[in-house]
Amino acid sequence: ELQARLSVFHTHTDGDGQWAVPNTISADGKTITPSTGSYRLVASPHESLTDVTQDGMTLRVTGNVGAVKLTSITGYVKMDDHWRQDFSGGVSAALLGNPTGGTLALFDRDSVTDHKQFSQEFQAAGDLNGGQMSYVAGIYGFSEKGTQKLNSVIFFAPSSVDFNADTKSLALFGQLSAKFGERTTLMLGGRYTKDDKHLDGAFGGTAFNQSSSYSRFNPKIGVDF
């Protein structure tokens, strides 16, 4: 007999994002005053925005093969993220020697991110020795890819940064539990994990490429009373 449960979600955020307010500092450095006269009033000529869409699903399937319970857990998430903000808050053009008036954006940044991740886990669990002992063992895999493009105009100079990230993880795990009497259980287990991470892109027109790998075994000894 197989049992399956599918969970699906969708979220969407569309708003004004974050706004910066320009400030002036007194000569003694003790007083900070918003240049616009209020922290609720911004001066930037560009509108901030936040637009995020996220979709995902989890599929859990269980079944028995003899005395062994098998479980499969599959997960997937996709996210699209777009935001823009003028971190300067808008500066009066007259302060920069421009008599035409109005305000200028001195640190405008636009970001577009695309992200996907997938995970798969398989478990086997059961009892031994007439129920005096139980076990669970399995394997877990995870894959993640993401890109981010940042376009900025800082003091009227345009620049761009591109990031491409890729992560892969694989883990093996197991645990054995043994009952001693009615109230005590001894647990022995461990997990081995290996991660591979890669990041490449371009910063100010200069390409970069970095990779790292990590691995670790984590043992577990516990007593449940």
Side-chain angles (χ1 to χ4, degrees):
E1 180 183 357
L2 290 178
Q3 293 183 339
R5 182 177 65 192
L6 176 65
S7 301
V8 180
F9 73 88
H10 168 81
T11 62
H12 181 216
T13 301
D14 186 3
D16 293 337
Q18 298 186 110
W19 290 85
V21 177
N23 298 288
T24 57
I25 303 176
S26 61
D28 58 8
K30 296 182 179 180
T31 304
I32 300 177
T33 305
S35 303
T36 58
S38 171
Y39 284 113
R40 296 181 178 273
L41 183 63
V42 300
S44 175
H46 300 312
E47 292 188 7
S48 295
L49 65 90
T50 294
D51 191 346
V52 183
T53 301
Q54 191 172 30
D55 299 286
M57 58 79 65
T58 301
L59 176 63
R60 184 184 183 97
V61 180
T62 60
N64 294 321
V65 178
V68 181
K69 180 181 179 180
L70 300 178
T71 303
S72 169
I73 305 173
T74 306
Y76 176 78
V77 176
K78 182 180 186 301
M79 182 187 73
D80 296 307
D81 181 298
H82 179 206
W83 60 263
R84 181 178 182 178
Q85 181 177 349
D86 173 17
F87 290 90
S88 73
V91 177
S92 171
L95 294 177
L96 301 179
N98 187 342
T100 59
T103 57
L104 302 173
L106 299 185
F107 190 170
D108 182 41
R109 173 163 286 174
D110 186 272
S111 170
V112 177
T113 300
D114 177 67
H115 171 265
K116 298 181 181 69
Q117 68 180 51
F118 174 82
S119 63
Q120 176 64 56
E121 180 174 343
F122 294 106
Q123 296 180 8
D127 295 329
L128 301 171
N129 195 22
Q132 289 299 111
M133 303 178 70
S134 62
Y135 68 88
V136 59
I139 182 172
Y140 173 82
F142 174 83
S143 176
E144 176 185 42
K145 289 187 177 182
T147 63
Q148 183 180 21
K149 296 183 181 297
L150 290 170
N151 292 310
S152 306
V153 179
I154 303 175
F155 284 94
F156 316 112
S159 64
S160 63
V161 182
D162 294 336
F163 295 104
N164 303 297
D166 188 354
T167 298
K168 289 181 173 59
S169 180
L170 181 66
L172 302 173
F173 59 90
Q175 178 173 298
L176 180 65
S177 302
K179 294 181 179 179
F180 291 89
E182 295 295 327
R183 304 172 65 185
T184 305
T185 302
L186 174 66
M187 296 171 289
L188 300 175
R191 181 185 182 96
Y192 173 80
T193 305
K194 186 178 187 302
D195 290 346
D196 295 310
K197 294 180 176 290
H198 178 78
L199 178 67
D200 65 67
F203 184 84
T206 302
F208 61 88
N209 193 318
Q210 299 288 331
S211 295
S212 299
S213 295
Y214 313 88
S215 62
R216 183 166 183 172
F217 175 73
N218 297 101
K220 176 181 178 180
I221 302 176
V223 176
D224 184 16
F225 178 74

